[in-house]
Amino acid sequence: MLPHESNPISESPGLTSHNLPDKRSKTSMWDHFRASMANRKAAGLHRDVVVSTPISPTRVERNGQVAINFGANDYLGLAWHPTLFAWPKASAASSPEGSEFLRYGSGASPIVTGHTDEHARLVQTIAEFEDTHSAIVYSSGYAANLGVVSALATRNDIIFSDELNHASLIDGCRLSRANVQVYPHGDSQTLRRLVQEHRHRGRFGFVVTDSVFSMDGDLAPLLEIDAICQEFDMHCILDEAHATGVYGHFGRGLAEHIGVSDERMIRIGTLSKAVGCSGGFVAGRNELIEWLVNHSRSWIYSTASPVPNSHIAARAIRLVQNMHTERTALRQNAQRLRLAIAGLGYSVGEGDCPIIPIRFQDPKAVVAASQELLRRGIYVPAIRPPTVPEGKSLLRVSLSVAHSSDDCHSLVEGLRQIKNLP
Ligand SMILES: Cc1ncc(COP(=O)(O)O)c(C=O)c1O
């Protein structure tokens, strides 16, 4: 099987053939669930929800254990920024009850009454941040990816999709009903060959890819993808979720970082990770935003994000664009930490991305490693299939500029101690 065949474009992740119920079976749904969950537990693939109590930008309590938190995507420490969370005094003063928050929920879809003055200010701030005409804000990055891909591509079009794309892009491809060709991860040569072979099958053509891959922390070959899009008259739908705030002089993402123009790029940014708030956005020319406002179902048919989120996100974006020093320091720290972990004999890949994958292959081994680290006061999540392909389980370290060098040292020491555990 080619590696890209594991991309579950046509199957639900987690509903692969080994745990689909037999159509003729008389087993009840609940019995099927119980048996399937027991199988998952035995294979080290079961997922539990654990209450996480954040204590500081770098500390979290889980199961009564306080640990250094290497699991959050708060790359610039903004989720804890002391001045971001003050609600405007003017609103508080005009509130009859004198309460700090005039309103929390937006109450309706943005197309009805959910698009408040705070949302409009956020849209304007994002358009300025991205140095473009207009923007649209979704209540989550998942909703943005789902709604953008499925609004732009239709059954008459063709999508070329990286095999390790985020689930939300994969789901957007499915919803679009376009002809989807999956290409091996980051392999621009095979992408080119597939495009040559299949481009004529779709009216509009799209390459869909993460810019920074969320589990492996590696980067899409954007220059090559841009050249392919130019040559074959296509557009790239680029998910910058883990690049917003982290790459580019102003923190716009990887396209800014490596100097790819927006001509062929439809870039989706996030408010949920380095910006420290919640939401996803697209910024670009007026025709694009107008199209999304009229076609993007996850935006139209969903309540706009809470009002305070928009207010805080606009302020956070203004901070992010001036945090060049912090993002440079973050990536330098990430590079150093990667080298130190690789020095212990772990496989971590290369680069300066603050997502550092420590590869274990076996799901049970990675869960054991995560538990051993937690016992030592370090939290690093264990990532297993179907989030990553079979045989590719990993510990995912997510570094923040708020982590101290002592925090990084503790992680390296913890990894050294567990290296030779059975
Ligand atoms: C690459 C990527 N895109 C999109 C998302 C979804 O963003 P959100 O958490 O805001 O829904 C995530 C989050 O996990 C992600 O890692």
Side-chain angles (χ1 to χ4, degrees), residues 8 10 66:
S10 57
V66 174

Side-chain angles (χ1 to χ4, degrees), residues 348-419:
V348 290
E350 290 174 358
D352 65 356
C353 179
I355 301 169
I356 304 175
I358 307 177
R359 303 196 173 98
F360 276 74
Q361 287 100 36
D362 175 41
K364 285 184 184 162
V366 82
V367 170
S370 178
Q371 284 168 350
E372 283 296 333
L373 286 175
L374 189 60
R375 281 193 334 110
R376 290 165 170 79
I378 302 154
Y379 175 61
V380 185
I383 310 292
R384 296 156 294 157
T387 305
V388 287
E390 304 245 340
K392 299 258 166 103
S393 291
L394 52 89
L395 286 175
R396 178 184 184 271
V397 174
S398 198
L399 189 67
S400 164
V401 76
H403 285 117
S404 65
S405 48
D406 279 355
D407 293 339
C408 294
H409 179 75
S410 299
L411 172 62
V412 173
E413 183 54 21
L415 286 165
R416 192 185 62 73
Q417 287 175 13
I418 66 165
K419 178 86 180 129

Side-chain angles (χ1 to χ4, degrees), residues 272-294:
S272 313
K273 303 186 193 302
V275 181
C277 296
S278 196
F281 62 83
V282 178
R285 54 205 290 171
N286 290 328
E287 296 99 310
L288 171 65
I289 305 305
E290 185 184 10
W291 183 267
L292 293 174
V293 163
N294 282 274

Side-chain angles (χ1 to χ4, degrees), residues 140-143 145 166 168 210 212 214 239 241-242 270 272-273 279-280:
S140 72
Y142 184 93
N145 283 350
H166 189 260
S168 51
D210 290 13
V212 171
S214 56
D239 177 10
H242 294 277
T270 190
S272 313
K273 303 186 193 302

Side-chain angles (χ1 to χ4, degrees), residues 310-352:
S310 298
H311 175 77
I312 295 164
R315 296 172 53 165
I317 286 276
R318 279 185 226 112
L319 289 178
V320 163
Q321 62 193 357
N322 293 316
M323 293 181 80
H324 181 63
T325 310
E326 287 82 351
R327 63 185 136 261
T328 308
L330 170 67
R331 296 203 314 271
Q332 282 170 351
N333 294 348
Q335 214 159 10
R336 269 196 293 272
L337 180 57
R338 224 173 243 262
L339 284 177
I341 298 172
L344 298 172
Y346 289 100
S347 158
V348 290
E350 290 174 358
D352 65 356

Side-chain angles (χ1 to χ4, degrees), residues 2 14 19 22 115 118 173-174 198 208 220 320 330 355 394 412:
L2 288 170
N19 64 1
D22 182 336
H115 187 70
E118 296 292 355
C173 290
R174 288 192 193 131
H198 298 284
V208 172
V320 163
L330 170 67
I355 301 169
L394 52 89
V412 173

